[in-house]
Amino acid sequence: MKKQVYNPFLPIYECVPDGEPHVFGDRVYLYGSHDKEGKSMCSAEQVLWSAPVYDLSDWRYEGVILDISEGNTYGGNMLFAPDAEYDVTTDTYY
Protein backbone atom coordinates (compact mmCIF):
# COMPACT_ATOMS: atom_id res chain seq x y z
CA MET A 1 0.00 0.00 0.00
CA LYS A 2 1.36 3.42 -0.97
CA LYS A 3 1.66 6.27 1.51
CA GLN A 4 -0.45 9.36 1.05
CA VAL A 5 1.60 12.38 0.01
CA TYR A 6 0.87 15.70 1.71
CA ASN A 7 2.18 19.20 1.42
CA PRO A 8 4.67 19.67 2.88
CA PHE A 9 6.03 16.40 1.55
CA LEU A 10 9.21 16.42 3.66
CA PRO A 11 9.08 15.59 7.37
CA ILE A 12 7.68 18.37 9.55
CA TYR A 13 11.06 18.99 11.21
CA GLU A 14 12.74 19.67 7.85
CA CYS A 15 12.71 22.99 6.03
CA VAL A 16 14.25 23.33 2.58
CA PRO A 17 12.84 26.72 1.52
CA ASP A 18 14.46 26.97 -1.90
CA GLY A 19 14.48 23.41 -3.18
CA GLU A 20 15.83 22.85 -6.68
CA PRO A 21 14.56 19.52 -8.10
CA HIS A 22 16.40 17.52 -10.77
CA VAL A 23 15.84 14.08 -12.25
CA PHE A 24 18.97 11.99 -12.63
CA GLY A 25 18.34 8.40 -13.68
CA ASP A 26 15.29 7.00 -11.90
CA ARG A 27 15.31 9.43 -8.93
CA VAL A 28 14.23 12.99 -8.25
CA TYR A 29 16.86 14.88 -6.27
CA LEU A 30 15.87 17.97 -4.27
CA TYR A 31 18.83 20.24 -3.52
CA GLY A 32 18.25 23.04 -1.04
CA SER A 33 19.55 25.33 1.64
CA HIS A 34 18.81 24.12 5.12
CA ASP A 35 16.71 26.27 7.43
CA LYS A 36 17.33 24.19 10.53
CA GLU A 37 17.00 26.92 13.14
CA GLY A 38 13.92 28.68 11.77
CA LYS A 39 15.61 32.07 12.10
CA SER A 40 16.55 32.67 8.48
CA MET A 41 15.79 31.12 5.14
CA CYS A 42 19.34 29.98 4.41
CA SER A 43 22.03 28.54 6.61
CA ALA A 44 25.61 27.44 6.08
CA GLU A 45 24.46 24.00 4.88
CA GLN A 46 22.89 22.62 1.76
CA VAL A 47 21.09 19.30 1.96
CA LEU A 48 19.86 16.70 -0.48
CA TRP A 49 16.65 14.64 -0.48
CA SER A 50 15.66 12.10 -3.12
CA ALA A 51 12.70 9.97 -4.15
CA PRO A 52 11.95 7.46 -6.89
CA VAL A 53 10.58 9.22 -9.97
CA TYR A 54 7.41 7.13 -9.88
CA ASP A 55 6.84 7.22 -6.11
CA LEU A 56 7.07 10.73 -4.71
CA SER A 57 5.73 9.50 -1.37
CA ASP A 58 9.06 7.80 -0.55
CA TRP A 59 11.54 10.62 0.18
CA ARG A 60 14.99 9.76 1.57
CA TYR A 61 17.39 12.16 3.30
CA GLU A 62 20.76 11.97 1.54
CA GLY A 63 22.48 14.30 4.01
CA VAL A 64 24.39 17.55 4.05
CA ILE A 65 26.13 17.96 0.69
CA LEU A 66 27.88 21.27 1.36
CA ASP A 67 28.75 22.97 4.65
CA ILE A 68 30.46 26.36 4.76
CA SER A 69 30.24 26.91 8.52
CA GLU A 70 33.11 28.35 10.52
CA GLY A 71 36.23 26.26 10.30
CA ASN A 72 35.21 24.85 6.93
CA THR A 73 37.43 25.23 3.88
CA TYR A 74 34.98 27.59 2.17
CA GLY A 75 34.27 29.83 5.18
CA GLY A 76 31.15 31.96 5.31
CA ASN A 77 27.76 31.88 6.95
CA MET A 78 25.00 31.63 4.30
CA LEU A 79 24.31 29.71 1.11
CA PHE A 80 21.68 30.63 -1.46
CA ALA A 81 20.07 29.10 -4.54
CA PRO A 82 21.57 25.61 -4.73
CA ASP A 83 21.60 23.81 -8.03
CA ALA A 84 23.14 20.78 -9.71
CA GLU A 85 24.20 19.80 -13.20
CA TYR A 86 25.48 16.64 -14.83
CA ASP A 87 28.30 16.73 -17.41
CA VAL A 88 27.84 13.77 -19.76
CA THR A 89 31.31 14.18 -21.24
CA THR A 90 33.05 13.68 -17.87
CA ASP A 91 30.29 11.70 -16.10
CA THR A 92 30.49 14.23 -13.25
CA TYR A 93 27.82 15.91 -11.12
CA TYR A 94 28.37 19.54 -10.13
Side-chain angles (χ1 to χ4, degrees):
M1 185 168 147
K2 297 218 181 239
K3 294 183 276 184
Q4 175 65 42
V5 179
Y6 297 96
N7 189 7
F9 57 91
L10 296 178
I12 195 70
Y13 60 83
E14 184 66 280
C15 183
V16 179
D18 56 357
E20 188 67 39
H22 288 279
V23 174
F24 295 121
D26 62 352
R27 294 190 73 79
V28 175
Y29 293 90
L30 181 72
Y31 297 82
S33 59
H34 200 197
D35 181 12
K36 63 183 179 180
E37 296 162 4
K39 296 177 183 174
S40 65
M41 292 304 278
C42 300
S43 71
E45 295 178 349
Q46 289 185 345
V47 295
L48 179 61
W49 285 81
S50 74
V53 170
Y54 297 106
D55 186 2
L56 297 180
S57 68
D58 188 20
W59 287 90
R60 177 175 71 200
Y61 179 64
E62 303 291 348
V64 173
I65 57 170
L66 180 61
D67 182 352
I68 63 163
S69 59
E70 190 174 331
N72 188 288
T73 306
Y74 300 102
N77 60 5
M78 294 179 92
L79 290 168
F80 301 94
D83 206 350
E85 289 296 327
Y86 175 68
D87 184 339
V88 294
T89 59
T90 62
D91 190 32
T92 305
Y93 292 91
Y94 296 95

Coordinates of all heavy atoms in Angstrom, one line a residue:
M1 N 0.8 -1.2 0.0 CA 0.0 0.0 0.0 C 0.9 1.2 0.0 O 1.8 1.4 0.8 CB -0.9 0.0 1.2 CG -1.9 1.1 1.3 SD -3.1 0.8 2.6 CE -3.4 2.4 3.0
K2 N 0.6 2.2 -0.9 CA 1.4 3.4 -1.0 C 1.0 4.4 0.1 O -0.2 4.4 0.6 CB 1.1 4.1 -2.3 CG 1.6 3.2 -3.4 CD 2.3 4.0 -4.5 CE 2.8 3.1 -5.6 NZ 4.1 3.2 -5.8
K3 N 1.9 5.2 0.5 CA 1.7 6.3 1.5 C 1.0 7.5 0.8 O 1.3 7.7 -0.3 CB 3.0 6.7 2.2 CG 3.7 5.7 3.0 CD 4.9 6.3 3.6 CE 6.0 6.2 2.7 NZ 7.3 6.6 3.2
Q4 N 0.1 8.1 1.5 CA -0.5 9.4 1.0 C 0.6 10.5 1.1 O 1.3 10.6 2.1 CB -1.7 9.7 1.9 CG -2.3 11.1 1.5 CD -2.9 11.1 0.1 OE1 -3.5 10.1 -0.3 NE2 -2.6 12.2 -0.6
V5 N 0.7 11.3 0.1 CA 1.6 12.4 0.0 C 0.9 13.7 0.4 O -0.2 13.9 -0.1 CB 2.2 12.5 -1.4 CG1 3.2 13.7 -1.4 CG2 2.9 11.3 -1.8
Y6 N 1.5 14.4 1.3 CA 0.9 15.7 1.7 C 1.8 16.8 1.4 O 3.0 16.6 1.1 CB 0.6 15.7 3.2 CG -0.4 14.6 3.6 CD1 0.0 13.4 4.0 CD2 -1.8 14.9 3.5 CE1 -0.9 12.4 4.4 CE2 -2.7 13.9 3.9 CZ -2.3 12.7 4.3 OH -3.2 11.7 4.7
N7 N 1.3 18.0 1.5 CA 2.2 19.2 1.4 C 2.2 19.8 2.8 O 1.2 20.2 3.3 CB 1.6 20.2 0.4 CG 2.6 21.3 0.1 OD1 3.7 21.3 0.6 ND2 2.1 22.3 -0.6
P8 N 3.4 19.9 3.5 CA 4.7 19.7 2.9 C 5.0 18.2 2.8 O 4.5 17.4 3.6 CB 5.6 20.3 3.9 CG 4.9 20.3 5.2 CD 3.5 20.4 4.8
F9 N 5.7 17.8 1.8 CA 6.0 16.4 1.5 C 7.2 15.9 2.3 O 7.4 14.7 2.5 CB 6.2 16.1 0.1 CG 7.3 17.0 -0.6 CD1 8.6 16.5 -0.6 CD2 7.0 18.2 -1.1 CE1 9.6 17.2 -1.2 CE2 8.0 18.9 -1.7 CZ 9.3 18.5 -1.8
L10 N 8.1 16.8 2.8 CA 9.2 16.4 3.7 C 8.7 16.3 5.1 O 7.7 16.9 5.4 CB 10.4 17.4 3.5 CG 11.0 17.5 2.1 CD1 12.1 18.6 2.2 CD2 11.6 16.2 1.7
P11 N 9.5 15.7 6.0 CA 9.1 15.6 7.4 C 8.9 17.0 8.0 O 9.5 17.9 7.6 CB 10.3 14.9 8.0 CG 10.9 14.1 6.9 CD 10.7 14.9 5.7
I12 N 8.0 17.1 9.0 CA 7.7 18.4 9.6 C 8.9 19.1 10.2 O 8.9 20.3 10.2 CB 6.5 18.2 10.6 CG1 5.9 19.5 10.9 CG2 7.0 17.5 11.8 CD1 5.1 20.1 9.8
Y13 N 9.9 18.4 10.6 CA 11.1 19.0 11.2 C 12.0 19.6 10.2 O 13.0 20.3 10.5 CB 11.8 18.0 12.1 CG 12.3 16.8 11.3 CD1 13.5 16.8 10.6 CD2 11.6 15.6 11.3 CE1 13.9 15.7 9.9 CE2 12.0 14.5 10.6 CZ 13.2 14.5 9.9 OH 13.6 13.5 9.2
E14 N 11.8 19.3 8.9 CA 12.7 19.7 7.8 C 12.2 20.9 7.1 O 11.0 20.9 6.8 CB 12.9 18.5 6.9 CG 13.9 18.8 5.8 CD 15.3 18.9 6.3 OE1 15.7 20.0 6.8 OE2 16.1 18.0 6.2
C15 N 13.1 21.8 6.8 CA 12.7 23.0 6.0 C 13.8 23.2 5.0 O 14.9 23.6 5.3 CB 12.6 24.2 6.9 SG 12.0 25.7 6.0
V16 N 13.4 23.0 3.7 CA 14.2 23.3 2.6 C 13.5 24.4 1.8 O 12.7 24.0 0.9 CB 14.5 22.0 1.8 CG1 15.4 22.3 0.6 CG2 15.2 21.0 2.6
P17 N 13.7 25.7 2.1 CA 12.8 26.7 1.5 C 13.0 27.0 0.0 O 12.2 27.6 -0.6 CB 13.2 27.9 2.4 CG 14.6 27.7 2.8 CD 14.7 26.2 3.0
D18 N 14.2 26.6 -0.5 CA 14.5 27.0 -1.9 C 14.9 25.7 -2.7 O 15.9 25.8 -3.4 CB 15.5 28.1 -2.0 CG 16.8 27.7 -1.2 OD1 16.8 26.6 -0.6 OD2 17.8 28.4 -1.2
G19 N 14.1 24.7 -2.5 CA 14.5 23.4 -3.2 C 14.6 23.5 -4.7 O 13.8 24.2 -5.3
E20 N 15.6 22.9 -5.2 CA 15.8 22.8 -6.7 C 15.8 21.4 -7.1 O 16.7 20.6 -6.9 CB 17.2 23.5 -7.0 CG 17.5 23.7 -8.4 CD 16.6 24.7 -9.1 OE1 16.3 25.8 -8.4 OE2 16.2 24.5 -10.2
P21 N 14.7 20.9 -7.7 CA 14.6 19.5 -8.1 C 15.2 19.2 -9.5 O 15.2 20.0 -10.4 CB 13.1 19.3 -8.2 CG 12.5 20.7 -8.6 CD 13.5 21.7 -8.0
H22 N 15.8 18.0 -9.5 CA 16.4 17.5 -10.8 C 16.1 16.0 -10.8 O 16.1 15.3 -9.8 CB 17.9 17.7 -10.8 CG 18.3 19.2 -11.0 ND1 18.4 19.8 -12.2 CD2 18.7 20.1 -10.1 CE1 18.7 21.0 -12.0 NE2 18.9 21.2 -10.8
V23 N 16.0 15.5 -12.0 CA 15.8 14.1 -12.3 C 17.1 13.6 -12.9 O 17.6 14.1 -13.9 CB 14.7 13.7 -13.2 CG1 14.6 12.3 -13.5 CG2 13.3 14.2 -12.6
F24 N 17.8 12.7 -12.1 CA 19.0 12.0 -12.6 C 18.7 10.5 -12.5 O 18.4 10.0 -11.4 CB 20.2 12.3 -11.8 CG 20.6 13.8 -11.9 CD1 20.7 14.5 -10.7 CD2 21.0 14.4 -13.1 CE1 21.1 15.9 -10.7 CE2 21.3 15.7 -13.1 CZ 21.4 16.5 -12.0
G25 N 18.7 9.8 -13.7 CA 18.3 8.4 -13.7 C 16.9 8.2 -13.3 O 16.0 8.8 -13.8
D26 N 16.7 7.3 -12.3 CA 15.3 7.0 -11.9 C 14.9 7.7 -10.6 O 14.0 7.3 -9.9 CB 15.1 5.5 -11.8 CG 16.0 4.9 -10.7 OD1 16.9 5.6 -10.2 OD2 15.9 3.7 -10.5
R27 N 15.6 8.7 -10.2 CA 15.3 9.4 -8.9 C 15.2 10.9 -9.2 O 15.8 11.5 -10.0 CB 16.4 9.2 -7.9 CG 16.4 7.7 -7.4 CD 17.3 7.5 -6.2 NE 16.7 7.9 -5.0 CZ 15.8 7.3 -4.3 NH1 15.3 6.2 -4.7 NH2 15.3 7.8 -3.1
V28 N 14.3 11.5 -8.3 CA 14.2 13.0 -8.2 C 15.1 13.4 -7.1 O 15.0 12.9 -6.0 CB 12.8 13.4 -8.0 CG1 12.7 14.9 -7.8 CG2 11.9 13.0 -9.1
Y29 N 16.0 14.4 -7.3 CA 16.9 14.9 -6.3 C 16.5 16.3 -6.0 O 16.3 17.1 -6.9 CB 18.3 14.8 -6.7 CG 18.8 13.4 -6.8 CD1 18.7 12.7 -8.0 CD2 19.4 12.7 -5.7 CE1 19.2 11.4 -8.1 CE2 19.8 11.4 -5.8 CZ 19.7 10.8 -7.0 OH 20.1 9.5 -7.2
L30 N 16.3 16.6 -4.7 CA 15.9 18.0 -4.3 C 17.0 18.6 -3.5 O 17.3 18.2 -2.4 CB 14.6 17.9 -3.4 CG 14.1 19.3 -2.9 CD1 13.5 20.0 -4.1 CD2 13.1 19.1 -1.8
Y31 N 17.7 19.5 -4.1 CA 18.8 20.2 -3.5 C 18.3 21.5 -2.9 O 17.4 22.2 -3.4 CB 19.8 20.6 -4.6 CG 20.5 19.5 -5.3 CD1 19.8 18.9 -6.3 CD2 21.7 19.0 -4.9 CE1 20.4 17.8 -7.0 CE2 22.3 17.9 -5.6 CZ 21.6 17.3 -6.6 OH 22.2 16.3 -7.2
G32 N 18.8 21.8 -1.7 CA 18.2 23.0 -1.0 C 19.1 23.5 0.1 O 19.8 22.8 0.7
S33 N 18.9 24.8 0.4 CA 19.5 25.3 1.6 C 18.8 24.8 2.8 O 17.6 24.4 2.7 CB 19.6 26.9 1.6 OG 18.3 27.4 1.5
H34 N 19.4 24.8 4.0 CA 18.8 24.1 5.1 C 18.4 25.1 6.2 O 19.3 25.7 6.9 CB 19.9 23.1 5.6 CG 19.3 22.0 6.5 ND1 20.1 21.3 7.3 CD2 18.1 21.6 6.6 CE1 19.4 20.4 7.9 NE2 18.2 20.5 7.5
D35 N 17.2 25.4 6.4 CA 16.7 26.3 7.4 C 16.4 25.4 8.7 O 15.3 25.1 9.0 CB 15.4 27.0 7.0 CG 14.9 28.0 8.0 OD1 15.7 28.2 9.0 OD2 13.8 28.4 7.9
K36 N 17.5 25.1 9.4 CA 17.3 24.2 10.5 C 17.0 24.9 11.8 O 16.7 24.3 12.8 CB 18.5 23.3 10.7 CG 19.8 24.0 11.0 CD 21.0 23.0 11.0 CE 22.3 23.7 11.3 NZ 23.4 22.8 11.4
E37 N 17.2 26.2 11.9 CA 17.0 26.9 13.1 C 15.7 27.7 13.1 O 15.3 28.2 14.1 CB 18.2 27.8 13.4 CG 19.5 27.0 13.7 CD 20.7 27.9 13.5 OE1 20.6 29.1 13.4 OE2 21.8 27.3 13.6
G38 N 15.1 27.9 11.9 CA 13.9 28.7 11.8 C 14.1 30.2 11.9 O 13.1 30.9 12.0
K39 N 15.3 30.6 11.9 CA 15.6 32.1 12.1 C 15.8 32.8 10.8 O 15.7 34.0 10.7 CB 16.8 32.3 13.0 CG 16.6 31.8 14.4 CD 17.8 31.9 15.3 CE 17.6 31.3 16.6 NZ 18.8 31.3 17.4
S40 N 16.3 32.1 9.8 CA 16.5 32.7 8.5 C 16.3 31.6 7.4 O 16.2 30.4 7.7 CB 18.0 33.2 8.4 OG 18.9 32.1 8.4
M41 N 16.1 32.0 6.2 CA 15.8 31.1 5.1 C 17.0 30.3 4.6 O 16.8 29.3 4.0 CB 15.2 31.9 4.0 CG 13.8 32.4 4.3 SD 12.7 31.2 4.9 CE 12.1 30.5 3.4
C42 N 18.2 30.7 4.9 CA 19.3 30.0 4.4 C 20.4 29.9 5.5 O 20.6 30.8 6.2 CB 19.9 30.7 3.2 SG 18.8 30.9 1.8
S43 N 21.0 28.7 5.6 CA 22.0 28.5 6.6 C 23.3 28.3 5.9 O 23.5 28.5 4.7 CB 21.7 27.4 7.6 OG 21.8 26.2 6.9
A44 N 24.3 27.7 6.6 CA 25.6 27.4 6.1 C 25.7 26.0 5.5 O 26.7 25.6 5.1 CB 26.7 27.6 7.2
E45 N 24.5 25.4 5.4 CA 24.5 24.0 4.9 C 23.5 23.9 3.7 O 22.5 24.6 3.6 CB 23.9 23.0 5.9 CG 24.8 22.9 7.1 CD 24.1 21.9 8.1 OE1 23.0 21.5 8.0 OE2 24.8 21.5 9.1
Q46 N 23.8 23.0 2.8 CA 22.9 22.6 1.8 C 22.7 21.1 1.9 O 23.6 20.4 2.2 CB 23.4 23.0 0.4 CG 23.4 24.5 0.2 CD 23.7 24.9 -1.2 OE1 24.3 24.1 -2.0 NE2 23.5 26.1 -1.6
V47 N 21.4 20.7 1.8 CA 21.1 19.3 2.0 C 20.5 18.7 0.7 O 20.1 19.4 -0.2 CB 20.1 19.1 3.1 CG1 20.7 19.5 4.4 CG2 18.8 19.9 2.9
L48 N 20.4 17.4 0.7 CA 19.9 16.7 -0.5 C 18.8 15.7 0.0 O 19.1 14.9 0.9 CB 21.0 16.0 -1.2 CG 20.6 15.2 -2.5 CD1 20.0 16.1 -3.5 CD2 21.9 14.5 -3.0
W49 N 17.7 15.7 -0.7 CA 16.6 14.6 -0.5 C 16.4 14.0 -1.8 O 16.6 14.6 -2.9 CB 15.3 15.3 0.0 CG 15.4 15.7 1.4 CD1 15.9 16.8 2.0 CD2 14.8 15.0 2.5 NE1 15.8 16.9 3.3 CE2 15.1 15.7 3.7 CE3 14.1 13.8 2.7 CZ2 14.7 15.3 5.0 CZ3 13.7 13.4 3.9 CH2 14.0 14.1 5.0
S50 N 16.0 12.7 -1.8 CA 15.7 12.1 -3.1 C 14.5 11.2 -3.0 O 14.1 10.7 -1.9 CB 16.9 11.3 -3.6 OG 17.1 10.1 -2.9
A51 N 13.8 10.9 -4.1 CA 12.7 10.0 -4.1 C 12.7 9.3 -5.5 O 13.2 9.9 -6.5 CB 11.4 10.7 -3.9
P52 N 12.1 8.1 -5.6 CA 11.9 7.5 -6.9 C 11.0 8.3 -7.8 O 10.1 8.9 -7.3 CB 11.3 6.1 -6.6 CG 11.5 5.9 -5.1 CD 11.6 7.3 -4.5
V53 N 11.4 8.4 -9.0 CA 10.6 9.2 -10.0 C 9.1 8.8 -9.9 O 8.2 9.7 -10.0 CB 11.1 9.1 -11.4 CG1 10.2 9.7 -12.4 CG2 12.5 9.7 -11.5
Y54 N 8.8 7.6 -9.8 CA 7.4 7.1 -9.9 C 6.8 6.9 -8.5 O 5.7 6.3 -8.4 CB 7.3 5.9 -10.8 CG 7.7 6.2 -12.2 CD1 8.9 5.8 -12.7 CD2 6.9 7.0 -13.0 CE1 9.3 6.1 -14.0 CE2 7.2 7.3 -14.3 CZ 8.4 6.8 -14.8 OH 8.8 7.2 -16.1
D55 N 7.4 7.3 -7.4 CA 6.8 7.2 -6.1 C 7.3 8.4 -5.2 O 8.2 8.3 -4.4 CB 7.2 5.9 -5.5 CG 6.5 5.7 -4.1 OD1 5.7 6.5 -3.7 OD2 6.8 4.7 -3.5
L56 N 6.7 9.5 -5.4 CA 7.1 10.7 -4.7 C 6.6 10.7 -3.3 O 6.6 11.8 -2.6 CB 6.6 12.0 -5.5 CG 7.2 12.1 -6.8 CD1 6.7 13.4 -7.5 CD2 8.8 12.2 -6.8
S57 N 6.1 9.6 -2.8 CA 5.7 9.5 -1.4 C 6.9 8.9 -0.5 O 6.8 8.8 0.7 CB 4.5 8.6 -1.2 OG 4.8 7.3 -1.5
D58 N 8.0 8.5 -1.2 CA 9.1 7.8 -0.5 C 10.4 8.6 -0.6 O 11.3 8.2 -1.2 CB 9.3 6.5 -1.3 CG 10.2 5.6 -0.5 OD1 10.5 5.8 0.7 OD2 10.8 4.6 -1.2
W59 N 10.4 9.8 0.1 CA 11.5 10.6 0.2 C 12.6 10.1 1.2 O 12.3 9.6 2.2 CB 11.1 12.0 0.5 CG 10.4 12.7 -0.6 CD1 9.1 12.7 -0.8 CD2 11.0 13.4 -1.7 NE1 8.8 13.4 -2.0 CE2 10.0 13.8 -2.5 CE3 12.4 13.8 -2.0 CZ2 10.3 14.6 -3.7 CZ3 12.6 14.5 -3.1 CH2 11.6 14.9 -3.9
R60 N 13.9 10.2 0.8 CA 15.0 9.8 1.6 C 16.0 10.9 1.8 O 16.3 11.6 0.8 CB 15.7 8.6 0.8 CG 16.9 8.1 1.5 CD 17.5 6.9 0.8 NE 18.1 7.2 -0.4 CZ 18.3 6.4 -1.4 NH1 17.9 5.1 -1.3 NH2 18.8 6.8 -2.6
Y61 N 16.4 11.1 3.0 CA 17.4 12.2 3.3 C 18.8 11.7 2.9 O 19.2 10.6 3.4 CB 17.3 12.5 4.8 CG 18.3 13.5 5.2 CD1 18.2 14.8 4.8 CD2 19.3 13.2 6.2 CE1 19.1 15.8 5.2 CE2 20.2 14.2 6.6 CZ 20.1 15.5 6.1 OH 21.0 16.4 6.5
E62 N 19.4 12.4 2.0 CA 20.8 12.0 1.5 C 21.9 12.6 2.4 O 23.0 12.2 2.3 CB 20.9 12.3 0.1 CG 19.9 11.7 -0.9 CD 20.0 10.2 -1.0 OE1 21.0 9.6 -0.6 OE2 19.1 9.6 -1.5
G63 N 21.5 13.7 3.1 CA 22.5 14.3 4.0 C 22.9 15.7 3.6 O 22.4 16.2 2.6
V64 N 23.8 16.2 4.4 CA 24.4 17.6 4.1 C 25.4 17.4 2.9 O 26.3 16.5 3.0 CB 25.1 18.2 5.3 CG1 25.8 19.4 4.9 CG2 24.1 18.4 6.4
I65 N 25.2 18.1 1.8 CA 26.1 18.0 0.7 C 27.2 19.1 0.6 O 28.1 18.9 -0.1 CB 25.3 17.9 -0.6 CG1 24.5 19.1 -0.8 CG2 24.5 16.6 -0.7 CD1 23.8 19.2 -2.2
L66 N 26.9 20.2 1.3 CA 27.9 21.3 1.4 C 27.7 22.0 2.7 O 26.6 22.3 3.0 CB 27.7 22.2 0.2 CG 28.6 23.4 0.1 CD1 30.1 23.0 0.0 CD2 28.3 24.3 -1.1
D67 N 28.8 22.3 3.4 CA 28.8 23.0 4.6 C 29.9 24.0 4.6 O 31.0 23.7 4.5 CB 29.0 22.0 5.8 CG 28.9 22.6 7.2 OD1 28.8 23.9 7.3 OD2 28.9 21.9 8.1
I68 N 29.5 25.3 4.8 CA 30.5 26.4 4.8 C 30.6 27.0 6.1 O 31.1 28.1 6.3 CB 30.1 27.4 3.7 CG1 28.8 28.1 4.0 CG2 30.2 26.8 2.3 CD1 28.6 29.4 3.3
S69 N 30.2 26.3 7.2 CA 30.2 26.9 8.5 C 31.7 27.2 8.9 O 32.6 26.8 8.3 CB 29.6 26.0 9.5 OG 30.2 24.7 9.5
E70 N 31.8 27.9 10.0 CA 33.1 28.3 10.5 C 34.0 27.2 10.7 O 33.7 26.1 11.1 CB 32.9 29.0 11.9 CG 34.2 29.7 12.4 CD 34.0 30.5 13.6 OE1 32.8 31.0 13.8 OE2 34.9 30.6 14.4
G71 N 35.3 27.3 10.2 CA 36.2 26.3 10.3 C 36.2 25.4 9.1 O 37.1 24.6 8.9
N72 N 35.3 25.6 8.2 CA 35.2 24.9 6.9 C 36.1 25.5 5.9 O 36.4 26.7 6.0 CB 33.8 24.8 6.4 CG 33.6 23.9 5.3 OD1 34.0 24.2 4.2 ND2 32.9 22.8 5.5
T73 N 36.5 24.7 4.9 CA 37.4 25.2 3.9 C 36.9 26.5 3.2 O 37.6 27.4 2.9 CB 37.6 24.1 2.8 OG1 38.1 23.0 3.5 CG2 38.6 24.6 1.8
Y74 N 35.6 26.5 2.9 CA 35.0 27.6 2.2 C 34.8 28.8 3.0 O 34.7 29.9 2.5 CB 33.7 27.1 1.6 CG 33.8 26.0 0.6 CD1 33.5 24.7 1.0 CD2 34.3 26.2 -0.7 CE1 33.7 23.6 0.2 CE2 34.5 25.1 -1.5 CZ 34.2 23.8 -1.1 OH 34.4 22.8 -1.9
G75 N 34.6 28.7 4.3 CA 34.3 29.8 5.2 C 33.0 30.5 4.8 O 32.5 30.4 3.7
G76 N 32.4 31.3 5.7 CA 31.1 32.0 5.3 C 30.0 31.6 6.3 O 30.2 30.8 7.2
N77 N 28.9 32.2 6.0 CA 27.8 31.9 6.9 C 26.4 31.6 6.3 O 25.5 31.3 6.9 CB 27.6 33.0 8.0 CG 27.4 34.3 7.3 OD1 27.2 34.4 6.1 ND2 27.4 35.4 8.2
M78 N 26.3 31.9 5.0 CA 25.0 31.6 4.3 C 25.2 31.1 2.9 O 26.1 31.5 2.2 CB 24.2 32.9 4.2 CG 23.7 33.4 5.6 SD 22.8 34.9 5.5 CE 21.1 34.2 5.3
L79 N 24.3 30.2 2.5 CA 24.3 29.7 1.1 C 22.9 30.0 0.5 O 21.9 29.9 1.2 CB 24.5 28.2 1.1 CG 25.9 27.7 1.5 CD1 26.0 26.2 1.7 CD2 26.9 28.1 0.4
F80 N 22.9 30.3 -0.8 CA 21.7 30.6 -1.5 C 21.6 29.8 -2.8 O 22.6 29.4 -3.3 CB 21.6 32.1 -1.8 CG 21.7 33.0 -0.7 CD1 22.9 33.6 -0.3 CD2 20.6 33.4 0.1 CE1 23.0 34.4 0.8 CE2 20.6 34.2 1.1 CZ 21.9 34.7 1.5
A81 N 20.4 29.6 -3.2 CA 20.1 29.1 -4.5 C 20.9 27.9 -5.0 O 21.7 28.0 -5.9 CB 20.2 30.2 -5.6
P82 N 20.8 26.8 -4.3 CA 21.6 25.6 -4.7 C 21.1 25.1 -6.1 O 19.9 25.3 -6.5 CB 21.3 24.6 -3.6 CG 19.9 25.0 -3.1 CD 19.9 26.5 -3.2
D83 N 22.0 24.4 -6.8 CA 21.6 23.8 -8.0 C 22.6 22.7 -8.3 O 23.6 22.5 -7.6 CB 21.7 24.8 -9.1 CG 20.7 24.5 -10.3 OD1 20.2 23.4 -10.3 OD2 20.6 25.3 -11.2
A84 N 22.3 21.9 -9.3 CA 23.1 20.8 -9.7 C 23.1 20.6 -11.2 O 22.0 20.9 -11.8 CB 22.7 19.5 -9.0
E85 N 24.1 20.1 -11.8 CA 24.2 19.8 -13.2 C 25.0 18.5 -13.4 O 25.9 18.2 -12.6 CB 24.9 20.9 -14.0 CG 24.0 22.2 -14.1 CD 22.7 22.0 -14.9 OE1 22.7 21.1 -15.8 OE2 21.7 22.6 -14.5
Y86 N 24.8 17.9 -14.5 CA 25.5 16.6 -14.8 C 26.2 16.9 -16.2 O 25.6 17.3 -17.1 CB 24.5 15.5 -14.9 CG 25.2 14.2 -15.4 CD1 26.1 13.5 -14.6 CD2 24.9 13.7 -16.6 CE1 26.7 12.4 -15.0 CE2 25.5 12.5 -17.1 CZ 26.4 11.9 -16.2 OH 27.0 10.7 -16.7
D87 N 27.5 16.6 -16.2 CA 28.3 16.7 -17.4 C 28.5 15.3 -18.0 O 29.2 14.5 -17.5 CB 29.7 17.3 -17.1 CG 30.5 17.6 -18.3 OD1 30.3 17.0 -19.3 OD2 31.4 18.4 -18.2
V88 N 27.8 15.1 -19.1 CA 27.8 13.8 -19.8 C 29.2 13.4 -20.3 O 29.6 12.3 -20.4 CB 26.8 13.6 -20.9 CG1 25.4 13.7 -20.3 CG2 27.0 14.6 -22.0
T89 N 30.0 14.5 -20.7 CA 31.3 14.2 -21.2 C 32.3 13.7 -20.2 O 33.2 12.9 -20.5 CB 31.9 15.4 -22.0 OG1 32.0 16.5 -21.0 CG2 31.0 15.8 -23.1
T90 N 32.1 14.1 -18.9 CA 33.1 13.7 -17.9 C 32.4 12.8 -16.9 O 33.0 12.3 -15.9 CB 33.6 14.9 -17.1 OG1 32.5 15.6 -16.5 CG2 34.4 15.8 -18.0
D91 N 31.1 12.5 -17.0 CA 30.3 11.7 -16.1 C 30.4 12.2 -14.7 O 30.7 11.5 -13.7 CB 30.7 10.2 -16.2 CG 29.8 9.3 -15.4 OD1 28.6 9.6 -15.3 OD2 30.2 8.3 -14.8
T92 N 30.3 13.6 -14.5 CA 30.5 14.2 -13.2 C 29.3 15.1 -12.9 O 28.7 15.8 -13.8 CB 31.7 15.1 -13.3 OG1 32.9 14.4 -13.7 CG2 32.0 15.8 -12.0
Y93 N 28.9 15.1 -11.6 CA 27.8 15.9 -11.1 C 28.4 17.1 -10.4 O 29.4 17.0 -9.7 CB 26.9 15.2 -10.1 CG 26.1 14.0 -10.7 CD1 26.7 12.8 -10.7 CD2 24.9 14.3 -11.2 CE1 25.9 11.7 -11.3 CE2 24.1 13.2 -11.8 CZ 24.7 12.0 -11.8 OH 24.0 11.0 -12.4
Y94 N 27.9 18.3 -10.7 CA 28.4 19.5 -10.1 C 27.3 20.2 -9.4 O 26.1 20.2 -9.8 CB 28.9 20.5 -11.2 CG 30.1 20.0 -11.9 CD1 30.0 19.4 -13.1 CD2 31.4 20.2 -11.4 CE1 31.1 19.0 -13.8 CE2 32.5 19.8 -12.1 CZ 32.3 19.2 -13.3 OH 33.4 18.7 -14.0

